[in-house]
Amino acid sequence: MTADVEAAILPGTGRFDPEDDRWREQVAALYAALHEEAGTVFLRGVPEPGRKGDASTMVLALGSSGALTAAVACFRAWLARDKTRTLTVTWTDEAGAKQTIQVSGDNVDQTSFQVLAEAVRSRLGEDD
């Protein structure tokens, strides 16, 4: 059995301060949509240099190509609502190397998440 591919999701914006309640609500809406549509989503504490405590990172466990398809649909819908939004998605490939893509609301297209899709399918042993 293959393991889930864990993808760390970092939402960004050119419009709001990261501490703004309106931004926090938008990030919470993304979290809720991913949880409802794509499956396992959790927050993982990550040490933040120069600060006490941990910063929370949203992590999505992708266990099938269906979960990936649902996640990409959530990403695209969320990004489309505000062209200043960005998503940085990071995962570890089969060789153990960290891979990252960044997509913004003004450049999201059909192929934006292709690298992630190929990595998930490869890790899970699924064909197109």
Side-chain angles (χ1 to χ4, degrees):
M1 183 168 110
T2 57
D4 290 349
V5 175
E6 288 188 357
I9 314 299
L10 178 62
T13 181
R15 185 181 215 177
F16 298 103
D17 182 277
E19 301 300 319
D20 189 304
D21 286 340
R22 294 169 294 180
W23 176 243
R24 289 178 180 220
E25 288 172 8
Q26 292 176 32
V27 172
L30 173 62
Y31 181 92
L34 286 169
H35 181 70
E36 184 176 318
E37 299 295 328
T40 306
V41 182
F42 55 94
L43 296 176
R44 177 180 288 153
V46 178
E48 197 169 336
R51 292 193 150 170
K52 291 183 179 181
D54 295 338
S56 293
T57 299
M58 185 184 320
V59 179
L60 174 61
L62 298 166
S64 70
S65 58
L68 173 65
T69 300
V72 169
C74 288
F75 294 159
R76 292 182 73 191
W78 189 81
L79 287 165
R81 289 188 191 109
D82 180 346
K83 300 297 183 194
T84 70
R85 290 179 179 181
T86 62
L87 282 177
T88 302
V89 182
T90 304
W91 70 96
T92 303
D93 68 16
E94 287 187 63
K98 188 180 279 192
Q99 301 294 322
T100 301
I101 58 171
Q102 184 174 39
V103 182
S104 65
D106 64 355
N107 77 355
V108 66
D109 62 13
Q110 199 66 18
T111 61
S112 296
F113 295 100
Q114 191 63 35
V115 174
L116 176 60
E118 290 169 5
V120 169
R121 287 186 190 108
S122 175
R123 278 279 286 281
L124 299 176
E126 296 179 356
D127 295 323
D128 288 338

